[in-house]
PDB file of all heavy atoms in Angstrom:
ATOM      1  N   ASP A  43     -21.080   3.600  40.456  1.00 88.00           N
ATOM      2  CA  ASP A  43     -21.128   3.168  41.901  1.00 88.00           C
ATOM      3  C   ASP A  43     -19.805   3.376  42.554  1.00 88.00           C
ATOM      4  O   ASP A  43     -19.830   3.408  43.794  1.00 88.00           O
ATOM      5  CB  ASP A  43     -21.555   1.645  41.879  1.00 88.00           C
ATOM      6  CG  ASP A  43     -22.983   1.461  41.501  1.00 88.00           C
ATOM      7  OD1 ASP A  43     -23.734   2.392  41.697  1.00 88.00           O
ATOM      8  OD2 ASP A  43     -23.333   0.256  41.102  1.00 88.00           O
ATOM      9  N   LYS A  44     -18.673   3.545  41.687  1.00 88.00           N
ATOM     10  CA  LYS A  44     -17.384   3.672  42.369  1.00 88.00           C
ATOM     11  C   LYS A  44     -16.840   4.845  42.363  1.00 88.00           C
ATOM     12  O   LYS A  44     -16.019   5.269  43.289  1.00 88.00           O
ATOM     13  CB  LYS A  44     -16.373   2.753  41.486  1.00 88.00           C
ATOM     14  CG  LYS A  44     -16.755   1.167  41.569  1.00 88.00           C
ATOM     15  CD  LYS A  44     -15.758   0.463  40.622  1.00 88.00           C
ATOM     16  CE  LYS A  44     -16.058  -0.995  40.496  1.00 88.00           C
ATOM     17  NZ  LYS A  44     -15.166  -1.720  39.535  1.00 88.00           N
ATOM     18  N   GLY A  45     -17.232   5.813  41.497  1.00 86.00           N
ATOM     19  CA  GLY A  45     -16.549   7.150  41.402  1.00 86.00           C
ATOM     20  C   GLY A  45     -17.677   8.227  41.309  1.00 86.00           C
ATOM     21  O   GLY A  45     -18.836   8.086  41.212  1.00 86.00           O
ATOM     22  N   LYS A  46     -17.147   9.470  41.492  1.00 88.00           N
ATOM     23  CA  LYS A  46     -18.023  10.647  41.332  1.00 88.00           C
ATOM     24  C   LYS A  46     -17.770  11.373  40.044  1.00 88.00           C
ATOM     25  O   LYS A  46     -16.627  11.542  39.648  1.00 88.00           O
ATOM     26  CB  LYS A  46     -17.739  11.538  42.574  1.00 88.00           C
ATOM     27  CG  LYS A  46     -18.190  10.958  43.851  1.00 88.00           C
ATOM     28  CD  LYS A  46     -17.816  11.955  45.131  1.00 88.00           C
ATOM     29  CE  LYS A  46     -18.240  11.298  46.437  1.00 88.00           C
ATOM     30  NZ  LYS A  46     -18.089  12.274  47.541  1.00 88.00           N
ATOM     31  N   TYR A  47     -18.899  11.822  39.388  1.00 91.00           N
ATOM     32  CA  TYR A  47     -18.887  12.584  38.129  1.00 91.00           C
ATOM     33  C   TYR A  47     -19.719  13.805  38.250  1.00 91.00           C
ATOM     34  O   TYR A  47     -20.612  13.907  39.052  1.00 91.00           O
ATOM     35  CB  TYR A  47     -19.358  11.652  37.101  1.00 91.00           C
ATOM     36  CG  TYR A  47     -18.418  10.404  36.856  1.00 91.00           C
ATOM     37  CD1 TYR A  47     -18.842   9.247  37.593  1.00 91.00           C
ATOM     38  CD2 TYR A  47     -17.311  10.324  36.126  1.00 91.00           C
ATOM     39  CE1 TYR A  47     -18.142   8.026  37.554  1.00 91.00           C
ATOM     40  CE2 TYR A  47     -16.610   9.188  35.908  1.00 91.00           C
ATOM     41  CZ  TYR A  47     -16.974   8.077  36.762  1.00 91.00           C
ATOM     42  OH  TYR A  47     -16.214   6.875  36.672  1.00 91.00           O
ATOM     43  N   ASN A  48     -19.328  14.781  37.384  1.00 90.00           N
ATOM     44  CA  ASN A  48     -20.104  15.977  37.329  1.00 90.00           C
ATOM     45  C   ASN A  48     -21.159  15.871  36.029  1.00 90.00           C
ATOM     46  O   ASN A  48     -22.195  16.488  36.224  1.00 90.00           O
ATOM     47  CB  ASN A  48     -19.257  17.211  36.962  1.00 90.00           C
ATOM     48  CG  ASN A  48     -18.173  17.564  38.082  1.00 90.00           C
ATOM     49  OD1 ASN A  48     -17.179  17.083  38.096  1.00 90.00           O
ATOM     50  ND2 ASN A  48     -18.618  18.183  39.140  1.00 90.00           N
ATOM     51  N   LEU A  49     -20.845  14.924  35.114  1.00 92.00           N
ATOM     52  CA  LEU A  49     -21.779  14.952  33.995  1.00 92.00           C
ATOM     53  C   LEU A  49     -21.605  13.587  33.472  1.00 92.00           C
ATOM     54  O   LEU A  49     -20.392  13.027  33.331  1.00 92.00           O
ATOM     55  CB  LEU A  49     -21.435  16.027  33.015  1.00 92.00           C
ATOM     56  CG  LEU A  49     -22.176  15.927  31.673  1.00 92.00           C
ATOM     57  CD1 LEU A  49     -23.675  16.282  31.850  1.00 92.00           C
ATOM     58  CD2 LEU A  49     -21.589  16.894  30.780  1.00 92.00           C
ATOM     59  N   VAL A  50     -22.674  12.996  32.905  1.00 94.00           N
ATOM     60  CA  VAL A  50     -22.609  11.768  32.030  1.00 94.00           C
ATOM     61  C   VAL A  50     -23.222  12.070  30.718  1.00 94.00           C
ATOM     62  O   VAL A  50     -24.328  12.666  30.510  1.00 94.00           O
ATOM     63  CB  VAL A  50     -23.582  10.641  32.717  1.00 94.00           C
ATOM     64  CG1 VAL A  50     -23.502   9.401  31.729  1.00 94.00           C
ATOM     65  CG2 VAL A  50     -22.886  10.290  34.058  1.00 94.00           C
ATOM     66  N   VAL A  51     -22.440  11.667  29.646  1.00 94.00           N
ATOM     67  CA  VAL A  51     -22.869  11.791  28.152  1.00 94.00           C
ATOM     68  C   VAL A  51     -22.989  10.476  27.584  1.00 94.00           C
ATOM     69  O   VAL A  51     -22.035   9.727  27.544  1.00 94.00           O
ATOM     70  CB  VAL A  51     -21.810  12.536  27.474  1.00 94.00           C
ATOM     71  CG1 VAL A  51     -22.226  12.843  25.925  1.00 94.00           C
ATOM     72  CG2 VAL A  51     -21.661  14.020  28.028  1.00 94.00           C
ATOM     73  N   THR A  52     -24.145  10.109  27.265  1.00 93.00           N
ATOM     74  CA  THR A  52     -24.488   8.752  26.937  1.00 93.00           C
ATOM     75  C   THR A  52     -25.164   8.605  25.522  1.00 93.00           C
ATOM     76  O   THR A  52     -25.882   9.494  25.169  1.00 93.00           O
ATOM     77  CB  THR A  52     -25.471   7.929  27.929  1.00 93.00           C
ATOM     78  OG1 THR A  52     -25.622   6.617  27.545  1.00 93.00           O
ATOM     79  CG2 THR A  52     -26.823   8.649  28.135  1.00 93.00           C
ATOM     80  N   ASP A  53     -24.867   7.427  24.879  1.00 91.00           N
ATOM     81  CA  ASP A  53     -25.559   7.138  23.560  1.00 91.00           C
ATOM     82  C   ASP A  53     -26.925   6.382  23.987  1.00 91.00           C
ATOM     83  O   ASP A  53     -27.038   5.990  25.203  1.00 91.00           O
ATOM     84  CB  ASP A  53     -24.614   6.155  22.782  1.00 91.00           C
ATOM     85  CG  ASP A  53     -25.143   5.807  21.408  1.00 91.00           C
ATOM     86  OD1 ASP A  53     -25.977   6.590  20.973  1.00 91.00           O
ATOM     87  OD2 ASP A  53     -24.834   4.854  20.827  1.00 91.00           O
ATOM     88  N   GLN A  54     -27.722   6.104  23.094  1.00 89.00           N
ATOM     89  CA  GLN A  54     -28.957   5.366  23.391  1.00 89.00           C
ATOM     90  C   GLN A  54     -28.767   3.981  22.883  1.00 89.00           C
ATOM     91  O   GLN A  54     -28.935   2.921  23.708  1.00 89.00           O
ATOM     92  CB  GLN A  54     -30.001   5.989  22.550  1.00 89.00           C
ATOM     93  CG  GLN A  54     -31.276   5.128  22.329  1.00 89.00           C
ATOM     94  CD  GLN A  54     -32.033   4.626  23.577  1.00 89.00           C
ATOM     95  OE1 GLN A  54     -31.670   5.126  24.673  1.00 89.00           O
ATOM     96  NE2 GLN A  54     -33.103   3.940  23.441  1.00 89.00           N
ATOM     97  N   ARG A  55     -28.512   3.667  21.739  1.00 89.00           N
ATOM     98  CA  ARG A  55     -28.311   2.259  21.171  1.00 89.00           C
ATOM     99  C   ARG A  55     -26.987   1.595  21.580  1.00 89.00           C
ATOM    100  O   ARG A  55     -26.109   1.954  20.863  1.00 89.00           O
ATOM    101  CB  ARG A  55     -28.719   2.188  19.662  1.00 89.00           C
ATOM    102  CG  ARG A  55     -28.896   0.782  19.178  1.00 89.00           C
ATOM    103  CD  ARG A  55     -29.171   0.827  17.723  1.00 89.00           C
ATOM    104  NE  ARG A  55     -30.501   1.237  17.529  1.00 89.00           N
ATOM    105  CZ  ARG A  55     -31.116   1.344  16.327  1.00 89.00           C
ATOM    106  NH1 ARG A  55     -30.462   0.998  15.234  1.00 89.00           N
ATOM    107  NH2 ARG A  55     -32.408   1.707  16.194  1.00 89.00           N
ATOM    108  N   MET A  56     -27.049   0.662  22.571  1.00 90.00           N
ATOM    109  CA  MET A  56     -25.766  -0.031  22.863  1.00 90.00           C
ATOM    110  C   MET A  56     -26.137  -1.508  23.280  1.00 90.00           C
ATOM    111  O   MET A  56     -27.303  -1.756  23.587  1.00 90.00           O
ATOM    112  CB  MET A  56     -25.180   0.732  24.203  1.00 90.00           C
ATOM    113  CG  MET A  56     -24.734   2.095  23.940  1.00 90.00           C
ATOM    114  SD  MET A  56     -24.116   2.860  25.497  1.00 90.00           S
ATOM    115  CE  MET A  56     -25.529   3.033  26.567  1.00 90.00           C
ATOM    116  N   PRO A  57     -25.166  -2.352  23.305  1.00 87.00           N
ATOM    117  CA  PRO A  57     -25.477  -3.597  23.677  1.00 87.00           C
ATOM    118  C   PRO A  57     -25.940  -3.700  25.087  1.00 87.00           C
ATOM    119  O   PRO A  57     -25.412  -2.992  25.965  1.00 87.00           O
ATOM    120  CB  PRO A  57     -24.087  -4.414  23.502  1.00 87.00           C
ATOM    121  CG  PRO A  57     -23.274  -3.527  22.482  1.00 87.00           C
ATOM    122  CD  PRO A  57     -23.845  -2.169  22.801  1.00 87.00           C
ATOM    123  N   GLY A  58     -26.905  -4.606  25.410  1.00 89.00           N
ATOM    124  CA  GLY A  58     -27.406  -4.640  26.769  1.00 89.00           C
ATOM    125  C   GLY A  58     -28.244  -3.461  27.106  1.00 89.00           C
ATOM    126  O   GLY A  58     -29.269  -3.174  26.480  1.00 89.00           O
ATOM    127  N   THR A  59     -27.913  -2.802  28.361  1.00 89.00           N
ATOM    128  CA  THR A  59     -28.651  -1.652  28.770  1.00 89.00           C
ATOM    129  C   THR A  59     -28.640  -0.555  27.906  1.00 89.00           C
ATOM    130  O   THR A  59     -27.627   0.095  27.551  1.00 89.00           O
ATOM    131  CB  THR A  59     -28.108  -1.291  30.203  1.00 89.00           C
ATOM    132  OG1 THR A  59     -28.129  -2.324  30.928  1.00 89.00           O
ATOM    133  CG2 THR A  59     -28.910  -0.061  30.822  1.00 89.00           C
ATOM    134  N   PRO A  60     -29.877  -0.049  27.395  1.00 90.00           N
ATOM    135  CA  PRO A  60     -29.944   1.031  26.456  1.00 90.00           C
ATOM    136  C   PRO A  60     -29.718   2.385  27.278  1.00 90.00           C
ATOM    137  O   PRO A  60     -29.788   2.424  28.496  1.00 90.00           O
ATOM    138  CB  PRO A  60     -31.271   1.019  25.859  1.00 90.00           C
ATOM    139  CG  PRO A  60     -32.070   0.355  26.919  1.00 90.00           C
ATOM    140  CD  PRO A  60     -31.227  -0.602  27.577  1.00 90.00           C
ATOM    141  N   GLY A  61     -29.489   3.563  26.537  1.00 89.00           N
ATOM    142  CA  GLY A  61     -29.285   4.711  27.213  1.00 89.00           C
ATOM    143  C   GLY A  61     -30.403   5.186  27.985  1.00 89.00           C
ATOM    144  O   GLY A  61     -30.192   5.927  28.994  1.00 89.00           O
ATOM    145  N   THR A  62     -31.622   5.063  27.545  1.00 89.00           N
ATOM    146  CA  THR A  62     -32.704   5.511  28.282  1.00 89.00           C
ATOM    147  C   THR A  62     -32.881   4.887  29.641  1.00 89.00           C
ATOM    148  O   THR A  62     -33.280   5.502  30.673  1.00 89.00           O
ATOM    149  CB  THR A  62     -34.006   5.304  27.453  1.00 89.00           C
ATOM    150  OG1 THR A  62     -34.139   3.952  27.048  1.00 89.00           O
ATOM    151  CG2 THR A  62     -34.308   6.203  26.224  1.00 89.00           C
ATOM    152  N   HIS A  63     -32.533   3.599  29.692  1.00 91.00           N
ATOM    153  CA  HIS A  63     -32.521   2.840  30.975  1.00 91.00           C
ATOM    154  C   HIS A  63     -31.479   3.312  31.981  1.00 91.00           C
ATOM    155  O   HIS A  63     -31.568   3.528  33.096  1.00 91.00           O
ATOM    156  CB  HIS A  63     -32.362   1.293  30.830  1.00 91.00           C
ATOM    157  CG  HIS A  63     -32.383   0.535  31.976  1.00 91.00           C
ATOM    158  ND1 HIS A  63     -33.514   0.082  32.452  1.00 91.00           N
ATOM    159  CD2 HIS A  63     -31.444   0.105  32.892  1.00 91.00           C
ATOM    160  CE1 HIS A  63     -33.315  -0.680  33.603  1.00 91.00           C
ATOM    161  NE2 HIS A  63     -32.025  -0.635  33.943  1.00 91.00           N
ATOM    162  N   LEU A  64     -30.332   3.703  31.324  1.00 92.00           N
ATOM    163  CA  LEU A  64     -29.195   4.261  32.054  1.00 92.00           C
ATOM    164  C   LEU A  64     -29.598   5.654  32.665  1.00 92.00           C
ATOM    165  O   LEU A  64     -29.206   5.928  33.806  1.00 92.00           O
ATOM    166  CB  LEU A  64     -27.888   4.347  31.259  1.00 92.00           C
ATOM    167  CG  LEU A  64     -26.811   5.112  31.822  1.00 92.00           C
ATOM    168  CD1 LEU A  64     -26.183   4.342  33.026  1.00 92.00           C
ATOM    169  CD2 LEU A  64     -25.642   5.252  30.740  1.00 92.00           C
ATOM    170  N   VAL A  65     -30.219   6.397  31.860  1.00 91.00           N
ATOM    171  CA  VAL A  65     -30.730   7.699  32.281  1.00 91.00           C
ATOM    172  C   VAL A  65     -31.627   7.568  33.470  1.00 91.00           C
ATOM    173  O   VAL A  65     -31.488   8.416  34.475  1.00 91.00           O
ATOM    174  CB  VAL A  65     -31.404   8.514  31.152  1.00 91.00           C
ATOM    175  CG1 VAL A  65     -32.060   9.794  31.735  1.00 91.00           C
ATOM    176  CG2 VAL A  65     -30.383   8.941  30.119  1.00 91.00           C
ATOM    177  N   ARG A  66     -32.590   6.697  33.433  1.00 89.00           N
ATOM    178  CA  ARG A  66     -33.536   6.505  34.529  1.00 89.00           C
ATOM    179  C   ARG A  66     -32.871   5.913  35.815  1.00 89.00           C
ATOM    180  O   ARG A  66     -33.147   6.387  36.994  1.00 89.00           O
ATOM    181  CB  ARG A  66     -34.612   5.624  34.096  1.00 89.00           C
ATOM    182  CG  ARG A  66     -35.549   6.178  33.024  1.00 89.00           C
ATOM    183  CD  ARG A  66     -36.702   5.379  32.678  1.00 89.00           C
ATOM    184  NE  ARG A  66     -37.439   6.077  31.503  1.00 89.00           N
ATOM    185  CZ  ARG A  66     -37.411   5.580  30.156  1.00 89.00           C
ATOM    186  NH1 ARG A  66     -36.686   4.537  29.945  1.00 89.00           N
ATOM    187  NH2 ARG A  66     -37.959   6.280  29.280  1.00 89.00           N
ATOM    188  N   HIS A  67     -31.856   5.105  35.563  1.00 91.00           N
ATOM    189  CA  HIS A  67     -31.056   4.682  36.686  1.00 91.00           C
ATOM    190  C   HIS A  67     -30.339   5.916  37.349  1.00 91.00           C
ATOM    191  O   HIS A  67     -30.346   5.849  38.678  1.00 91.00           O
ATOM    192  CB  HIS A  67     -30.099   3.529  36.228  1.00 91.00           C
ATOM    193  CG  HIS A  67     -29.066   3.194  37.288  1.00 91.00           C
ATOM    194  ND1 HIS A  67     -29.282   2.360  38.234  1.00 91.00           N
ATOM    195  CD2 HIS A  67     -27.790   3.640  37.469  1.00 91.00           C
ATOM    196  CE1 HIS A  67     -28.174   2.048  39.070  1.00 91.00           C
ATOM    197  NE2 HIS A  67     -27.279   2.794  38.682  1.00 91.00           N
ATOM    198  N   ILE A  68     -29.720   6.681  36.677  1.00 91.00           N
ATOM    199  CA  ILE A  68     -29.019   7.891  37.224  1.00 91.00           C
ATOM    200  C   ILE A  68     -29.955   8.790  37.917  1.00 91.00           C
ATOM    201  O   ILE A  68     -29.714   9.202  38.964  1.00 91.00           O
ATOM    202  CB  ILE A  68     -28.282   8.539  36.104  1.00 91.00           C
ATOM    203  CG1 ILE A  68     -27.153   7.720  35.426  1.00 91.00           C
ATOM    204  CG2 ILE A  68     -27.836   9.988  36.573  1.00 91.00           C
ATOM    205  CD1 ILE A  68     -26.507   8.384  34.257  1.00 91.00           C
ATOM    206  N   MET A  69     -31.203   8.993  37.347  1.00 87.00           N
ATOM    207  CA  MET A  69     -32.133   9.864  38.028  1.00 87.00           C
ATOM    208  C   MET A  69     -32.516   9.305  39.417  1.00 87.00           C
ATOM    209  O   MET A  69     -32.814  10.084  40.306  1.00 87.00           O
ATOM    210  CB  MET A  69     -33.427  10.006  37.090  1.00 87.00           C
ATOM    211  CG  MET A  69     -32.999  10.623  35.820  1.00 87.00           C
ATOM    212  SD  MET A  69     -32.481  12.352  35.924  1.00 87.00           S
ATOM    213  CE  MET A  69     -32.198  12.757  34.250  1.00 87.00           C
ATOM    214  N   LYS A  70     -32.625   8.004  39.414  1.00 87.00           N
ATOM    215  CA  LYS A  70     -33.058   7.320  40.674  1.00 87.00           C
ATOM    216  C   LYS A  70     -31.944   7.107  41.633  1.00 87.00           C
ATOM    217  O   LYS A  70     -32.219   7.346  42.858  1.00 87.00           O
ATOM    218  CB  LYS A  70     -33.708   5.998  40.375  1.00 87.00           C
ATOM    219  CG  LYS A  70     -34.204   5.215  41.523  1.00 87.00           C
ATOM    220  CD  LYS A  70     -34.745   3.860  41.108  1.00 87.00           C
ATOM    221  CE  LYS A  70     -35.336   3.038  42.392  1.00 87.00           C
ATOM    222  NZ  LYS A  70     -35.871   1.633  41.922  1.00 87.00           N
TER     223      LYS A  70
END
Side-chain angles (χ1 to χ4, degrees):
D43 289 337
K44 297 175 184 177
K46 293 183 178 181
Y47 301 90
N48 297 95
L49 175 70
V50 176
V51 180
T52 181
D53 187 23
Q54 160 63 0
R55 185 176 293 183
M56 298 179 288
T59 302
T62 47
H63 184 87
L64 175 61
V65 170
R66 293 185 186 107
H67 172 81
I68 292 171
M69 298 297 177
K70 181 180 178 181

